Amino acid sequence: MLNFKTNRLLIYISSFFIIILVLFAVFRDNSESITLLEAKKILNEKSVENVVVTKEYVFLKTQNGLYKIASSQVNPSMFEGYKVEVGNESNIILYLFLLVFILGLGSLGIKLLLNHLNKDLPSLRQSSRPIMGESVRIESIKSDVGFDDIGGISDVKVELEEIIDFMKNPKRYKSFGARLPRGVLLVGPPGVGKTMIAKAVASEADAPFFYQSGASFVQIYVGMGAKRVHELFNAAKKNAPSIIFIDEIDAVGKKRDGQRNDEREATLNQLLTEMDGFEASSGVIVVAATNKIDVLDDALLRAGRFDRRIFVELPTKIERASILAKYLDKVPHSLDVSVVANMTVGFNGASLAALVNEAALLSLRQNDMQVTLEHFEQVKDKVMFGKKKLQILSDKQKQYRITYQAAKVIIATYFDIPFEKLILSNERLTPATDEPFIKHELENRVKMLLAGTVACSMRYSEHSSSAKQDLDEAKELVEKMINEYCMGENIYASDNEKETTMNKLYENVSKLLSSLSSVMQRVEGDLNEFESISKRKVKEYLDEIL
């Protein structure tokens, strides 16, 4: 690919040749040379319309064309009776300069117009992909998010407060021989608030905040990604102390595996070079976020680049309560946030924000004065799994679904698996999580996933295809228990240990459901009538017989 300067030079050269061709077409001499005899013949025929005399030629214009003869060959008496004009050869040069002036004036006008449009539409320029050779102006933003606006990040806050203090009081650390970390890598699943944390750091440090996504560096033109990285770091250094935040850095910082991708590697190399080029006094720190640290290039993770890694995990119950309290601050309610926190296992910060918003919207739709726990129970599944409408089922298919879901909700309540409410239209009851589990907790989850299939097989000797998702998750959990977590009979699993474990859990569920047949009937009756049931209600039924 051609770089910017070469491309601009080619444009200028092409424009010059186009102007030459236009001038040649306009001013070229298209007259036909004739002899003295031919000239006399044309004059005698009285077909000449106009005679123009110049220093070198006499031009005879007729209806058939334009003819010329050397001035030295003619006699002025030949043109008696004709109107003779004296031509000025300097007119051609005058026309040439006039044309060049008009073209130059037009180019200047177009340039001024484009500059005016660029000033009026800055957001459009920033949102569009830059064309080849275009330099996008990188500007800082002022963050209005502080740590007080974010709940449930106490551990992360401790790690970052030191960096904030360093940016505010650099002399204190330099006098002690300490240096500012060059890079901080925030690692965690999507939706836990990594971007908000970076903005909070910039706000607390009162520093300019330069935001870029990793994808914005991946250009279709060779060299443009590296150029953008260079411009970003230059802008940050000019505004130091400042913070550069690169979201989803794995888009540009993936491991170099030998496969050819010159642009991505050039951009990564430029990023590594810029981070190496930091001076101790530069006052610039790079904060990056990713949920795939395992795919990042080792050169990015070595000391001297991203010196500090901070893991931002899914919030715990106490942290969820803190986050909910922040979001409910302006929502009318009389809720105990710990109850809502208890029913939102597996939710990240973004999901909790969506949950509060959906509950508030539902409250408005129902014309209620404040948000209640019932509102949260009604919208929880919508936020977690998406809104689903019960499929049009035949009476027999619906009965299969009721039996299947009744068995799941009973086993989940029996083993106290976290959930609040089951809706008939949702196949899933609780989200899968990667939290550390004890062996019996994993087995209980597998039992819950198998319960629907077991109940349908016991009553109808068959089950429906909708059990696939639960069965796949059950198989995956047993696979991990035996092969990854070494929860089988031996550290090294035997060939049939997975099958043995699954069959054992299946039999346990079958025996348990047989002993709870009366509870099954009551739960199925509620699901048939209301198409939903709460954990609290199922627990009441279980307490009556246990």
Side-chain angles (χ1 to χ4, degrees):
M1 286 287 182
L2 299 172
N3 60 31
F4 172 64
K5 291 183 178 179
T6 304
N7 187 59
R8 185 168 62 178
L9 180 61
L10 285 177
I11 292 175
Y12 289 157
I13 294 173
S14 301
S15 301
F16 175 76
F17 277 111
I18 290 173
I19 292 173
I20 294 297
L21 290 173
V22 171
L23 292 176
F24 177 76
V26 172
F27 296 111
R28 69 187 180 92
D29 185 2
N30 57 357
S31 60
E32 180 182 349
S33 295
I34 58 176
T35 63
L36 181 60
L37 292 176
E38 291 173 332
K40 289 180 179 180
K41 182 181 178 181
I42 293 173
L43 292 169
N44 292 333
E45 292 174 351
K46 303 296 182 180
S47 61
V48 176
E49 297 177 349
N50 192 21
V51 178
V52 179
V53 179
T54 65
K55 186 177 180 181
E56 294 185 2
Y57 293 100
V58 175
F59 294 89
L60 305 177
K61 185 179 180 182
T62 69
Q63 292 181 348
N64 297 327
L66 181 65
Y67 304 96
K68 67 179 179 180
I69 183 172
S71 298
S72 59
Q73 293 183 310
V74 299
N75 191 313
S77 61
M78 295 172 56
F79 308 113
E80 292 180 0
Y82 291 96
K83 183 179 179 181
V84 179
E85 297 178 1
V86 178
N88 189 355
E89 294 179 349
S90 62
N91 285 344
I92 295 178
I93 299 175
L94 180 63
Y95 292 150
L96 176 62
F97 279 112
L98 182 61
L99 183 60
V100 172
F101 175 74
I102 292 173
L103 291 174
L105 191 63
S107 300
L108 180 61
I110 292 173
K111 184 176 181 180
L112 291 175
L113 178 62
L114 291 175
N115 289 339
H116 178 70
L117 290 175
N118 288 338
K119 289 180 181 177
D120 288 344
L121 300 172
S123 59
L124 180 60
R125 291 186 63 211
Q126 291 177 3
S127 63
S128 61
R129 177 177 285 273
I131 61 173
M132 185 175 181
E134 181 182 355
S135 179
V136 178
R137 185 179 179 184
I138 298 175
E139 296 182 350
S140 65
I141 60 175
K142 193 69 176 178
S143 174
D144 57 355
V145 178
F147 281 133
D148 292 337
D149 300 316
I150 310 174
I153 58 166
S154 54
D155 294 341
V156 176
K157 184 178 178 181
V158 171
E159 288 281 344
L160 294 173
E161 278 181 336
E162 185 180 58
I163 295 172
I164 295 168
D165 188 49
F166 196 116
M167 297 185 75
K168 288 183 174 179
N169 307 294
K171 291 183 179 179
R172 176 189 172 200
Y173 292 86
K174 290 175 185 176
S175 63
F176 202 74
R179 66 173 179 82
L180 178 73
R182 293 182 180 177
V184 176
L185 187 63
L186 300 176
V187 185
V192 293
K194 298 186 289 293
T195 303
M196 288 186 67
I197 291 171
K199 287 184 176 180
V201 173
S203 178
E204 298 289 337
D206 194 23
F209 183 74
F210 292 86
Y211 173 88
Q212 291 290 317
S213 66
S216 67
F217 294 123
V218 183
Q219 302 287 335
I220 61 173
Y221 303 116
V222 173
M224 288 305 297
K227 180 182 178 183
R228 190 171 185 131
V229 171
H230 181 68
E231 290 173 345
L232 173 64
F233 278 81
N234 273 351
K237 289 175 184 177
K238 290 177 182 178
N239 292 274
S242 59
I243 293 175
I244 295 173
F245 179 66
I246 304 175
D247 199 8
E248 305 296 344
I249 194 174
D250 46 274
V252 70
K254 288 183 179 178
K255 292 179 180 178
R256 291 167 286 189
D257 53 4
Q259 296 182 359
R260 185 177 179 83
N261 192 330
D262 294 338
E263 173 60 5
R264 189 183 296 277
E265 289 197 7
T267 306
L268 175 58
N269 289 336
Q270 184 67 36
L271 178 60
L272 298 174
T273 302
E274 293 290 347
M275 294 192 71
D276 276 342
F278 277 0
E279 300 174 0
S281 59
S282 65
V284 179
I285 184 168
V286 183
V287 181
T290 182
N291 52 22
K292 301 176 182 177
I293 190 174
D294 53 309
V295 305
L296 293 181
D297 194 271
D298 293 337
L300 267 179
L301 301 176
R302 74 160 175 80
R305 289 190 177 126
F306 284 101
D307 303 90
R308 186 167 297 183
R309 301 176 205 173
I310 299 175
F311 290 85
V312 187
E313 303 292 348
L314 287 172
T316 62
K317 179 181 177 180
I318 295 176
E319 290 171 339
R320 290 197 300 274
S322 176
I323 295 170
L324 286 165
K326 295 287 183 184
Y327 289 126
L328 285 167
D329 186 46
K330 297 181 180 180
V331 177
H333 70 93
S334 57
L335 289 163
D336 181 355
V337 292
S338 62
V339 176
V340 182
N342 192 53
M343 63 185 281
T344 52
V345 177
F347 276 62
N348 56 38
S351 298
L352 292 172
L355 180 68
V356 172
N357 187 61
E358 289 292 339
L361 291 174
L362 178 61
S363 176
L364 286 172
R365 285 197 299 269
Q366 296 179 351
N367 296 317
D368 293 327
M369 299 299 294
Q370 61 181 7
V371 176
T372 65
L373 185 62
E374 181 65 25
H375 294 132
F376 278 93
E377 290 176 346
Q378 290 182 50
V379 300
K380 178 193 167 189
D381 285 343
K382 177 181 178 181
V383 174
M384 186 185 300
F385 304 115
K387 183 67 176 175
K388 287 189 177 182
K389 187 176 180 180
L390 187 61
Q391 296 173 333
I392 300 176
L393 304 174
S394 65
D395 290 340
K396 187 173 183 180
Q397 289 172 334
K398 183 178 180 180
Q399 191 57 49
Y400 271 62
R401 174 69 65 86
I402 289 172
T403 300
Y404 188 92
Q405 296 288 65
K408 282 183 65 175
V409 77
I410 290 171
I411 296 300
T413 305
Y414 183 89
F415 291 112
D416 198 22
I417 294 173
F419 83 98
E420 291 299 319
K421 190 175 185 179
L422 176 136
I423 298 177
L424 195 60
S425 60
N426 281 337
E427 288 85 1
R428 304 193 72 180
L429 186 61
T430 61
T433 66
D434 292 327
E435 293 181 8
F437 288 109
I438 304 172
K439 178 182 178 180
H440 77 271
E441 292 176 327
L442 289 171
E443 288 181 341
N444 291 343
R445 184 169 183 86
V446 173
K447 290 175 184 177
M448 183 265 290
L449 295 168
L450 293 175
T453 302
V454 173
C456 288
S457 297
M458 289 171 60
R459 182 170 302 179
Y460 311 113
S461 299
E462 59 183 354
H463 61 269
S464 69
S465 60
S466 61
K468 178 183 183 304
Q469 191 174 24
D470 286 338
L471 292 175
D472 286 345
E473 187 179 340
K475 292 174 186 176
E476 183 181 355
L477 276 177
V478 170
E479 173 85 23
K480 288 182 177 179
M481 287 172 61
I482 302 302
N483 293 337
E484 297 181 22
Y485 307 149
C486 299
M487 293 179 176
E489 295 180 0
N490 302 296
I491 295 296
Y492 290 99
S494 58
D495 294 338
N496 62 343
E497 196 160 359
K498 288 182 289 185
E499 181 181 353
T500 302
T501 301
M502 187 70 81
N503 289 337
K504 181 188 73 173
L505 297 175
Y506 189 97
E507 290 298 324
N508 289 343
V509 175
S510 179
K511 291 178 182 178
L512 182 57
L513 287 176
S514 296
S515 66
L516 299 174
S517 58
S518 60
V519 178
M520 274 286 293
Q521 291 178 3
R522 300 180 70 177
V523 172
E524 285 180 296
D526 285 358
L527 286 176
N528 187 48
E529 183 176 357
F530 305 111
E531 295 187 353
S532 66
I533 192 169
S534 66
K535 182 180 182 180
R536 183 175 61 252
K537 192 69 174 177
V538 179
K539 194 171 188 311
E540 290 177 4
Y541 294 154
L542 287 171
D543 289 342
E544 291 178 10
I545 66 169
L546 296 178

